[in-house]
């Protein structure tokens, strides 16, 4: 949630009313939505006010363009990225099947996971201002 709406610590949650109160006995109190439903003007814990504030700013900004705009933007970006990967004749490899690919997180490697080429790619990308491209080593 934090990469889609605001800083870490803020997760908007939508709960169907008919599910409130139907939790398992071992559900932690912070995940028992009836706690919050019964006291709408009280807080069981201190809210993460900064994260809520920044998320609100982001929502207001996004509202100007509408959800459809951002859906289309993500689809265009994903199409461009995956086309580059798929047309690379195996140099880049997206090992997630097309039907399961994310529009937000691109999972791929270089030449079947060649660490030397991946290190070179990350270094050259950094020179172009692209940071934090290195993924999880277990993938």
């Amino acid at each position: 949630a934090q990469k889609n709406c605001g800083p870490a610590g803020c997760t908007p949650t939508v709960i169907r009313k008919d599910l409130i109160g139907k939790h398992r006995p071992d559900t932690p109190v912070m995940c028992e939505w009836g706690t919050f439903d019964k006291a709408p003007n009280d807080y069981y814990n201190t809210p993460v006010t900064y994260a809520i504030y920044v998320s609100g700013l982001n929502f207001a900004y996004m509202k100007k363009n509408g959800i459809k705009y951002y859906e289309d933007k993500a689809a265009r970006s994903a199409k461009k990225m995956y086309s580059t990967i798929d047309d690379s004749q195996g140099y880049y490899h997206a090992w997630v099947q097309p039907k399961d690919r994310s529009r937000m997180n691109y999972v791929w490697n270089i030449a079947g996971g060649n660490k030397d080429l991946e290190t070179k790619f990350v270094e050259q990308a950094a020179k172009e201002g692209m940071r934090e491209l290195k993924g999880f080593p277990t993938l």
Side-chain angles (χ1 to χ4, degrees):
Q2 64 269 21
K3 71 174 104 165
N4 295 326
C5 72
C10 186
T11 306
T13 307
V14 178
I15 306 295
R16 286 187 358 218
K17 281 276 190 186
D18 64 312
L19 296 178
I20 293 175
K22 296 182 180 174
H23 58 282
R24 291 173 32 149
D26 60 345
T27 301
V29 71
M30 293 306 295
C31 295
E32 201 290 277
W33 306 117
T35 303
F36 302 94
D37 188 53
K38 293 173 190 164
N41 297 316
D42 295 327
Y43 297 106
Y44 192 82
N45 70 326
T46 304
V48 288
T49 55
Y50 178 74
I52 293 169
Y53 171 73
V54 173
S55 294
L57 292 176
N58 194 32
F59 292 143
Y61 177 81
M62 291 177 70
K63 188 175 180 180
K64 292 177 184 177
N65 291 318
I67 296 295
K68 180 76 172 126
Y69 169 83
Y70 293 102
E71 284 183 71
D72 293 345
K73 184 177 179 181
R76 284 191 309 273
S77 177
K79 182 177 181 180
K80 190 175 187 179
M81 181 69 170
Y82 287 121
S83 291
T84 299
I85 292 168
D86 294 340
D87 294 343
S88 73
Q89 299 177 342
Y91 183 77
Y92 301 113
H93 176 68
W95 43 268
V96 177
Q97 295 299 315
K99 69 180 183 64
D100 298 319
R101 290 178 177 174
S102 170
R103 292 182 301 159
M104 303 301 294
N105 300 302
Y106 309 124
V107 182
W108 56 279
N109 59 24
I110 297 175
N114 183 306
K115 298 300 177 200
D116 292 334
L117 289 175
E118 289 179 1
T119 298
K120 185 176 180 180
F121 176 87
V122 170
E123 289 170 356
Q124 289 178 341
K127 290 177 185 176
E128 297 297 322
M130 295 181 277
R131 306 267 191 272
E132 305 302 325
L133 295 178
K134 189 170 182 174
F136 298 98
T138 57
L139 293 180

